Amino acid sequence: MSNRTATHKVVRVTLDSRTEMDDHLVKESPLTIYYNDKELVTLLCTPEYMEDLGLGFLYSEGLLKEPSHVTTTRLDEEKGIIWIETNKTDFIAEKLFLKRYITTGCGKGTTFYNVMDSALVKNLDTLLTIIGDDVFQLMRDFQHNSELFKETGGVHSCALCDSKKIIIFREDIGRHNALDKIIGNCFKEKTTLDDKIVLTSGRISSEILLKVAKIGVSIVISRSAPTDLAVKLANELGVTIVGFVRGNRMNVYTHPQRIKE
Amino acid sequence: MSNRTATHKVVRVTLDSRTEMDDHLVKESPLTIYYNDKELVTLLCTPEYMEDLGLGFLYSEGLLKEPSHVTTTRLDEEKGIIWIETNKTDFIAEKLFLKRYITTGCGKGTTFYNVMDSALVKNLDTLLTIIGDDVFQLMRDFQHNSELFKETGGVHSCALCDSKKIIIFREDIGRHNALDKIIGNCFKEKTTLDDKIVLTSGRISSEILLKVAKIGVSIVISRSAPTDLAVKLANELGVTIVGFVRGNRMNVYTHPQRIKE
């Protein structure tokens, strides 16, 4: 059992038996982000890589631009609070954040959000390619890595890869959190991203697509399906969406030139 | 193909072939909710039962209490806008909504949210029970109903049942939306809920649990897992969580007295 899971007594019921046993549940904990001493947001997440989650969330929301702008980060894991201080306050980004969170609720995305964000994302005309067989192999490795899921059945996985191997792998109860944890890590490490690929266990929605495009990643792969809105945005933004990778079969929804034989 | 899906050309790639074909994608559309002439929130959803979604969302957020308070609802399906007018403005609920959506982001839930909402939800000491075998049968019917999922692989399902059969079944790209569509329908129809059961295809998070408890439903069933926080809240609030219903096997996480032999 990892510290990402908690043990809980359950009653296992079958057609003819009823047994009390221990089960492992994935932990769900609040992480409150203070940005320059202001309480900004509370996320519910799997409590690990919380600094990366804080940084990744702020980057995804446009509130952080450069690692050099961050002066301090302090995490109280016990209380689930992270304080991130910067030497640059972006008042416009802050206002947009508040406006978005008032008018859109939930990071659930909006017309406002989409229009704004697609306008900010530049078209990705990367020359990155990947061989079809390597997609199948990456997905096999990805599935193999999904240990927390196997243990608890309750999380999403996300990975950053190059065209041959997985570089960072994260799991979280939220699809967005898992991706933000990766984005936060890349932000800190100043990882080059235009030659990288994102794998996700979940559906590719418009919001996931925009997050991926925003960091300059031009191939996103899932064993699940994209939505029609994600496909439209990917078409415009130059992102290759690969879905339904199962066994030795996959669907390429947009910009198939990046998938080589 | 239903009007919930869109057709899109995909390239199906296998180890030794590459074929262009049509694929059905689940639609993802914005629904902007105006509450008493104020723009409140934009949800991304599967575009059907949008009036129910609007009403259910407002009810879940505490902004609607009684059907008789609603004076008009007007839906522009094309533009994805719904206007809901009431003869009662709850300023406190509105402020709480804004506060929540500012400080918590995303309906992603928060300590604030949880503390507030658990305080508002009364302990559910219903005498409702269900026979174990009937849980297995309900889940088989539920799986059988999940047509949109089968077609597109990209949505969550949610159902309201009594102890023998499914009464309402909804699908949406969002777990929360699917449940809110059901809540909105029950709100309009003044459905009695203390003898009902909620089935969901997704993980039971703290937020799903709170929504279910808030409408007075005391049994929630999933083929997926609950989080530890959902289990803690269910323990306190008197809700029975049944998870991992697969075939003739299930785990009862809380208040197992409601599952009879």
Side-chain angles (χ1 to χ4, degrees):
Chain A
M1 200 193 70
S2 70
N3 65 359
R4 305 176 292 182
T5 58
T7 307
H8 184 82
K9 286 254 174 288
V10 300
V11 181
R12 165 73 52 93
V13 177
T14 68
L15 280 181
D16 48 16
S17 73
R18 187 172 280 244
T19 330
E20 190 163 294
M21 53 186 287
D22 281 337
D23 191 32
H24 300 314
L25 298 177
V26 65
K27 282 189 196 166
E28 181 187 10
S29 300
L31 175 66
T32 300
I33 303 175
Y34 282 80
Y35 168 74
N36 291 332
D37 264 339
K38 265 180 277 186
E39 184 182 338
L40 196 70
V41 69
T42 300
L43 309 171
L44 286 168
C45 67
T46 305
E48 55 172 16
Y49 302 105
M50 283 159 112
E51 185 184 300
D52 288 354
L53 176 56
L55 292 170
F57 181 86
L58 292 182
Y59 181 85
S60 287
E61 295 297 329
L63 293 166
L64 283 184
K65 309 255 191 265
E66 297 285 338
S68 65
H69 296 170
V70 179
T71 50
T72 50
T73 65
R74 189 161 63 85
L75 172 65
D76 185 329
E77 270 195 65
E78 195 91 352
K79 291 195 182 132
I81 303 178
I82 189 165
W83 292 265
I84 296 176
E85 308 284 321
T86 67
N87 56 21
K88 232 180 181 154
T89 314
D90 187 331
F91 289 111
I92 293 170
E94 250 184 88
K95 275 213 174 131
L96 282 180
F97 176 81
L98 291 183
K99 163 108 178 100
R100 172 183 311 167
Y101 272 70
I102 293 170
T103 63
T104 76
C106 165
K108 274 169 189 159
T110 56
T111 320
F112 168 78
Y113 176 78
N114 292 338
V115 171
M116 273 306 305
D117 281 21
S118 351
L120 291 175
V121 176
K122 54 179 187 301
N123 198 287
L124 297 169
D125 51 2
T126 67
L127 298 172
L128 179 64
T129 59
I130 179 167
I131 297 167
D133 290 8
D134 291 340
V135 174
F136 302 136
Q137 187 55 47
L138 276 180
M139 189 53 79
R140 277 191 289 271
D141 296 345
F142 184 65
Q143 302 273 87
H144 185 74
N145 264 286
S146 302
E147 281 175 30
L148 186 54
F149 182 76
K150 273 179 231 149
E151 195 183 348
T152 64
V155 297
H156 282 290
S157 315
C158 192
L160 188 78
C161 319
D162 61 23
S163 60
K164 291 290 180 190
K165 62 178 191 308
I166 291 172
I167 301 165
I168 309 176
F169 180 85
R170 296 289 179 267
E171 295 175 293
D172 199 283
I173 51 161
R175 286 180 307 137
H176 284 276
N177 294 340
L179 179 53
D180 279 339
K181 283 174 177 179
I182 287 178
I183 292 173
N185 181 291
C186 295
F187 175 79
K188 271 194 324 201
E189 306 295 336
K190 300 183 189 175
T191 312
T192 307
L193 287 167
D194 59 2
D195 57 350
K196 301 297 186 303
I197 293 163
V198 163
L199 258 76
T200 169
S201 61
R203 167 173 57 77
I204 299 171
S205 64
S206 60
E207 291 179 292
I208 291 285
L209 193 277
L210 283 172
K211 269 192 190 186
V212 166
K214 216 168 178 179
I215 58 170
V217 165
S218 56
I219 302 179
V220 56
I221 299 173
S222 172
R223 64 184 308 279
S224 182
T227 68
D228 73 326
L229 189 52
V231 167
K232 273 181 215 157
L233 288 168
N235 245 332
E236 284 171 31
L237 296 172
V239 178
T240 300
I241 292 184
V242 182
F244 277 107
V245 185
R246 291 174 186 197
N248 291 323
R249 197 166 61 78
M250 63 181 149
N251 291 343
V252 186
Y253 290 88
T254 51
H255 303 281
Q257 77 280 1
R258 291 205 184 90
I259 312 300
K260 298 282 180 204
E261 277 173 57
Chain B
M1 201 193 68
S2 70
N3 65 359
R4 305 176 292 182
T5 58
T7 307
H8 185 81
K9 286 255 173 287
V10 300
V11 181
R12 165 74 52 93
V13 178
T14 67
L15 280 178
D16 47 16
S17 74
R18 187 173 281 243
T19 330
E20 190 162 295
M21 53 186 285
D22 281 338
D23 192 33
H24 299 316
L25 297 177
V26 65
K27 283 191 196 162
E28 182 187 8
S29 300
L31 175 66
T32 301
I33 302 175
Y34 283 80
Y35 169 74
N36 290 332
D37 264 338
K38 265 179 279 187
E39 184 182 339
L40 195 71
V41 69
T42 300
L43 308 171
L44 286 168
C45 66
T46 305
E48 55 171 16
Y49 302 105
M50 283 158 111
E51 185 185 301
D52 289 353
L53 177 57
L55 292 170
F57 181 86
L58 292 182
Y59 180 84
S60 287
E61 294 299 328
L63 292 167
L64 283 184
K65 308 257 192 262
E66 297 285 338
S68 65
H69 296 170
V70 179
T71 51
T72 51
T73 65
R74 188 161 63 86
L75 173 67
D76 185 329
E77 269 196 65
E78 196 92 350
K79 292 196 182 131
I81 304 179
I82 188 165
W83 293 266
I84 297 175
E85 309 284 320
T86 66
N87 57 21
K88 230 179 183 156
T89 315
D90 187 330
F91 288 111
I92 293 170
E94 252 185 86
K95 275 214 174 130
L96 282 180
F97 176 81
L98 291 183
K99 163 106 177 102
R100 173 183 310 166
Y101 271 69
I102 294 170
T103 63
T104 77
C106 166
K108 274 168 188 159
T110 55
T111 319
F112 169 78
Y113 178 78
N114 292 338
V115 170
M116 274 306 306
D117 281 21
S118 353
L120 292 176
V121 176
K122 55 180 186 299
N123 198 287
L124 297 169
D125 52 2
T126 67
L127 297 173
L128 179 64
T129 59
I130 179 168
I131 296 167
D133 289 9
D134 291 340
V135 174
F136 301 137
Q137 187 55 46
L138 276 179
M139 188 54 79
R140 277 190 289 270
D141 296 345
F142 185 65
Q143 301 274 87
H144 185 74
N145 264 287
S146 302
E147 281 175 29
L148 186 55
F149 183 77
K150 272 179 231 149
E151 195 183 348
T152 65
V155 297
H156 282 289
S157 315
C158 193
L160 188 77
C161 320
D162 61 24
S163 60
K164 291 289 180 190
K165 62 178 190 308
I166 291 173
I167 301 165
I168 310 176
F169 181 85
R170 296 290 178 265
E171 294 175 294
D172 199 284
I173 52 161
R175 285 181 306 138
H176 284 276
N177 294 342
L179 180 52
D180 279 339
K181 283 175 177 179
I182 287 178
I183 292 174
N185 181 291
C186 295
F187 176 80
K188 271 195 321 202
E189 306 294 335
K190 301 183 189 175
T191 313
T192 307
L193 287 166
D194 60 2
D195 57 351
K196 301 297 186 304
I197 293 163
V198 163
L199 258 78
T200 170
S201 62
R203 167 175 57 78
I204 299 171
S205 64
S206 59
E207 292 181 290
I208 291 286
L209 192 277
L210 282 172
K211 271 193 188 184
V212 166
K214 217 168 176 176
I215 58 170
V217 165
S218 56
I219 302 180
V220 54
I221 299 174
S222 173
R223 64 183 308 279
S224 181
T227 67
D228 73 325
L229 190 51
V231 167
K232 272 181 216 157
L233 288 168
N235 245 331
E236 283 172 31
L237 296 173
V239 178
T240 299
I241 292 183
V242 181
F244 277 108
V245 184
R246 291 173 185 196
N248 290 322
R249 197 167 61 79
M250 63 180 151
N251 292 341
V252 186
Y253 291 88
T254 52
H255 303 282
Q257 77 279 1
R258 290 204 184 91
I259 312 299
K260 297 283 179 200
E261 275 174 57

